[in-house]
Amino acid sequence: MDIYQLKTFIAVAREGSITRAAEQVHLSQPAVSAHIKALEDTLGLTLFSRTPRGMSLTRDGQRLLGKAEQTLAVHQELMDEATRIKGKLTGKLRLGASSSAGSSSGHAAIGRLLTRLAERCPDVEVVLRHGTSAEILAGLRGGSLDAGFYNEAGEPEPDLSTVEVSQFQIYVASSPGLEVQTAPLDMSALAALPWIYPTASACCGRTAERLFQQHKIRPKRIISVDREDVTRALIAGGLGVGLLHAGLAQTAEARGEVVLLMPAHNRVRVLFAQLASRAQDPLLAAAMAMVSADRPA
């Protein structure tokens, strides 16, 4: 869902016509129809009834119209504020990004923030540094980073101000050829196999430790790999079982490269964070507002 789809939804609701809405938002009629379909697919709701007289809001559509209008108003307030500060903010913004941002939406959020900063704060120098989630947090607390995106499997510490960007799952995976009993899954037998995942400073490492404590097991051999594509290749090659983020795990499963044995963690969040004590910093406040405007509905 993006702001342009909301604008299209409001235009069609007000005009009751794809044709008139297209003229209002300066899009083609197929583009307007595509926006409405994408929004309905995202929400899992039917927003309009197609009638001979045009487009009529369903009951669900009527309930959401007010929220959409409020969201659009808040977005405009943000744009107005950005206009007021544009060109006035200067200095350097040191951003951290987890080397595995968890999902395509996590990576997209980083790209959108960099684009908005370039457009609205052209005098600000942005430095982007990649690392594990633990390294991002250490950089924030140690003063080498101003803000950053990191993966959080639990709750953020109270010294941080955060905005959730997206969520994802982590899966335990094996190769199709590895002899693993899956119904029910024998965790003791899995402990006899090599486990492949990043170091404990990454979210997969912390998730693995939590999983071992939960099932009271400890693998006899751990292969520490800090790149998820290498982890996937080693799992697919039959070297052992390991942990993969949902996006890569599901792609690899669809290709027949791995078998997903179980979710290791149902909700890991990608968060944008800064120290709460720096909330009044104008540049950090602007960055936080830009990220907040993009967060999932």
Side-chain angles (χ1 to χ4, degrees):
M1 178 189 301
D2 61 40
I3 203 68
Y4 300 105
Q5 292 171 358
L6 289 181
K7 288 181 178 179
T8 302
F9 166 55
I10 293 170
V12 174
R14 290 173 177 171
E15 297 295 332
S17 163
I18 293 287
T19 302
R20 292 194 297 271
E23 294 173 353
Q24 182 179 325
V25 297
H26 306 291
L27 291 173
S28 67
Q29 293 182 35
V32 169
S33 297
H35 276 198
I36 297 302
K37 183 179 186 305
L39 190 57
E40 289 180 330
D41 289 345
T42 298
L43 298 174
L45 297 171
T46 300
L47 302 177
F48 293 95
S49 297
R50 281 70 173 173
T51 71
R53 294 183 179 181
M55 303 289 283
S56 176
L57 280 171
T58 63
R59 182 174 298 180
D60 292 335
Q62 291 172 352
R63 291 180 61 182
L64 291 179
L65 178 59
K67 293 292 185 182
E69 291 172 333
Q70 291 173 18
T71 301
L72 200 59
V74 171
H75 176 264
Q76 187 58 55
E77 291 175 5
L78 171 67
M79 296 300 293
D80 292 343
E81 182 63 18
T83 299
R84 285 191 287 270
I85 66 176
K86 184 177 180 179
K88 296 181 180 179
L89 293 176
T90 60
K92 179 184 290 187
L93 181 63
R94 301 162 301 172
L95 287 178
S98 174
S99 50
S100 57
S103 66
S104 58
S105 57
H107 290 292
I110 298 170
R112 286 195 299 271
L113 176 58
L114 295 178
T115 299
R116 282 163 173 69
L117 285 168
E119 292 173 348
R120 302 171 188 175
C121 306
D123 295 329
V124 172
E125 178 187 355
V126 180
V127 178
L128 182 65
R129 300 172 183 169
H130 288 88
T132 66
S133 292
E135 289 168 346
I136 302 302
L137 294 175
L140 295 177
R141 294 179 174 123
S144 62
L145 292 175
D146 300 307
F149 296 85
Y150 79 101
N151 300 329
E152 178 58 74
E155 293 298 323
E157 295 296 328
D159 63 334
L160 300 174
S161 293
T162 64
V163 175
E164 182 176 316
V165 173
S166 63
Q167 299 181 6
F168 63 96
Q169 287 184 307
I170 295 176
Y171 287 93
V172 179
S174 73
S175 73
L178 200 61
E179 293 297 328
V180 176
Q181 179 180 328
T182 58
L185 193 62
D186 188 341
M187 296 301 296
S188 298
L190 288 186
L193 299 171
W195 280 68
I196 308 161
Y197 58 86
T199 60
S201 62
C203 67
C204 280
R206 298 194 302 275
T207 297
E209 291 301 318
R210 191 176 293 109
L211 189 68
F212 299 155
Q213 293 173 10
Q214 177 185 349
H215 292 279
K216 297 181 174 57
I217 63 171
R218 171 57 55 180
K220 294 181 179 179
R221 183 185 176 197
I222 295 174
I223 302 173
S224 179
V225 178
D226 61 1
R227 287 183 53 186
E228 197 179 21
D229 57 340
V230 176
T231 300
R232 181 204 63 197
L234 295 178
I235 295 172
L239 196 59
V241 298
L243 300 183
L244 295 173
H245 291 175
L248 185 60
Q250 290 161 355
T251 299
E253 181 186 44
R255 293 175 177 172
E257 298 173 348
V258 304
V259 174
L260 303 186
L261 303 178
M262 63 178 291
H265 200 294
N266 285 328
R267 190 180 72 115
V268 178
R269 294 180 291 167
V270 180
L271 300 180
F272 179 72
Q274 66 181 44
L275 290 180
S277 60
R278 299 188 64 187
Q280 301 306 313
D281 184 303
L283 183 51
L284 291 180
M288 185 68 77
M290 293 175 194
V291 175
S292 296
D294 276 334
R295 63 185 175 183

